[in-house]
Amino acid sequence: MPAPRFIFRMTYYADCARFFADKELRSKNHHQAQLCHQTSYASIVNRRGTDFQTPCGRAINDHVAFYFSPLTSMAYTIHMGNVDLVDPNGVAQGKATMDDRVFFVAGVDKFANSQLQFWFSDTACNSKSPPPRFESDVSKIETHVDWGLFDDGSYAASIKEIGYAGVTRYFANRDEPTRYQDRVRKRMAEFLVRDAIPLTMFDCIITKTDWIKAQVESMMHRSGVDLPVLVKRGCYF
């Protein structure tokens, strides 16, 4: 039987207060958008609002985007100090760091019986050459995503409390073997939830340090939200 599959949403820890107050995570294009810190490349985000769409004709930015592991090329780029942290007013706050990032984690199987509209892709949704393929039937996820690149030994980032066995720590492209030649894009396959996702869908929140955990739990308790917050340094570079 295939291992349980999980999705991960990375965000700046201070924005959790807004999510807890709203009891959901909303898409960038939501009609009541959540003004949050940005840790991304603006050109890519803008193209996801205009150039790239799901099969229903909606922009990628109409969805809350998740990845299938915490160890992604974007997380590594942040870890290397290559991405700015921009506050909700558009003011740069210096370079982002993975130390203050948290992950919202949800099991894919929960979506099979939900009323949420979603798609999942086989590669990152930032390129048209070739374009990603989309699917919305959870029963097909084992064949749609190239799990051989996730379940390839040298594991890290396990979360035993929820049954997540972890992911292969390596994701860079290589000439040999052939299946590694497009590994970066395939490891950035996405799970897209249209408009918003309620906090009740999540299994836990992951932090890197005890201090961030304490901050998140304090915000949570003020809002009446109850989710496990786990310190998992192995989910970070």
Side-chain angles (χ1 to χ4, degrees), residues 10-22:
M10 180 171 59
T11 188
Y12 182 62
Y13 83 96
D15 293 326
C16 288
R18 189 178 305 273
F19 305 145
F20 297 155
D22 294 336

Side-chain angles (χ1 to χ4, degrees), residues 166-196:
V167 65
T168 298
R169 66 180 71 243
Y170 305 113
F171 55 83
N173 290 343
R174 288 172 48 185
D175 289 337
E176 298 292 340
T178 303
R179 67 191 186 93
Y180 289 171
Q181 292 178 1
D182 197 23
R183 184 163 57 169
V184 170
R185 288 201 325 133
K186 290 181 177 180
R187 279 285 297 265
M188 292 292 283
E190 301 186 40
F191 193 100
L192 305 170
V193 182
R194 182 167 158 178
D195 296 329

Side-chain angles (χ1 to χ4, degrees), residues 80-100:
M80 295 301 293
N82 296 328
V83 188
D84 291 332
L85 175 67
V86 179
D87 73 14
N89 295 315
V91 179
Q93 303 295 307
K95 294 300 181 184
T97 170
M98 287 302 296
D99 292 352
D100 51 25

Side-chain angles (χ1 to χ4, degrees), residues 15-226:
D15 293 326
C16 288
R18 189 178 305 273
F19 305 145
F20 297 155
D22 294 336
K23 304 297 190 292
E24 63 183 9
L25 272 64
R26 297 173 183 165
S27 71
K28 182 177 180 60
N29 288 351
H30 195 280
H31 68 281
Q32 291 183 305
Q34 294 164 322
L35 296 180
C36 298
H37 292 76
Q38 300 299 311
T39 311
S40 56
Y41 294 117
S43 60
I44 294 177
V45 173
N46 291 338
R47 292 206 315 272
R48 288 166 68 93
T50 56
D51 297 353
F52 304 104
Q53 297 180 336
T54 56
C56 64
R58 297 286 294 269
I60 300 299
N61 284 345
D62 290 338
H63 305 76
V64 186
F66 295 82
Y67 298 100
F68 290 105
S69 87
L71 300 182
T72 62
S73 56
M74 187 61 194
Y76 183 74
T77 297
I78 294 172
H79 167 70
M80 295 301 293
N82 296 328
V83 188
D84 291 332
L85 175 67
V86 179
D87 73 14
N89 295 315
V91 179
Q93 303 295 307
K95 294 300 181 184
T97 170
M98 287 302 296
D99 292 352
D100 51 25
R101 310 295 290 177
V102 304
F103 292 99
F104 283 77
V105 188
V108 170
D109 57 347
K110 289 185 177 181
F111 291 84
N113 298 315
S114 77
Q115 298 302 308
L116 298 173
Q117 295 182 314
F118 60 88
W119 297 93
F120 51 92
S121 67
D122 60 340
T123 64
C125 298
N126 303 332
S127 174
K128 293 184 176 180
S129 55
R133 297 181 304 116
F134 290 96
E135 180 57 68
S136 60
D137 183 349
V138 169
S139 69
K140 297 180 180 179
I141 199 165
E142 285 300 318
T143 55
H144 192 77
V145 176
D146 191 348
W147 294 109
L149 299 178
F150 292 78
D151 308 333
D152 201 22
S154 299
Y155 291 102
S158 65
I159 310 171
K160 66 179 187 302
E161 291 87 344
I162 63 172
Y164 178 60
V167 65
T168 298
R169 66 180 71 243
Y170 305 113
F171 55 83
N173 290 343
R174 288 172 48 185
D175 289 337
E176 298 292 340
T178 303
R179 67 191 186 93
Y180 289 171
Q181 292 178 1
D182 197 23
R183 184 163 57 169
V184 170
R185 288 201 325 133
K186 290 181 177 180
R187 279 285 297 265
M188 292 292 283
E190 301 186 40
F191 193 100
L192 305 170
V193 182
R194 182 167 158 178
D195 296 329
I197 175 171
L199 296 183
T200 53
M201 292 293 289
F202 293 105
D203 293 290
C204 66
I205 296 172
I206 297 299
T207 73
K208 187 176 182 180
T209 67
D210 291 322
W211 188 86
I212 294 292
K213 174 183 177 179
Q215 304 310 304
V216 171
E217 288 181 331
S218 178
M219 299 175 210
M220 185 184 297
H221 294 156
R222 291 196 298 268
S223 302
V225 173
D226 185 19

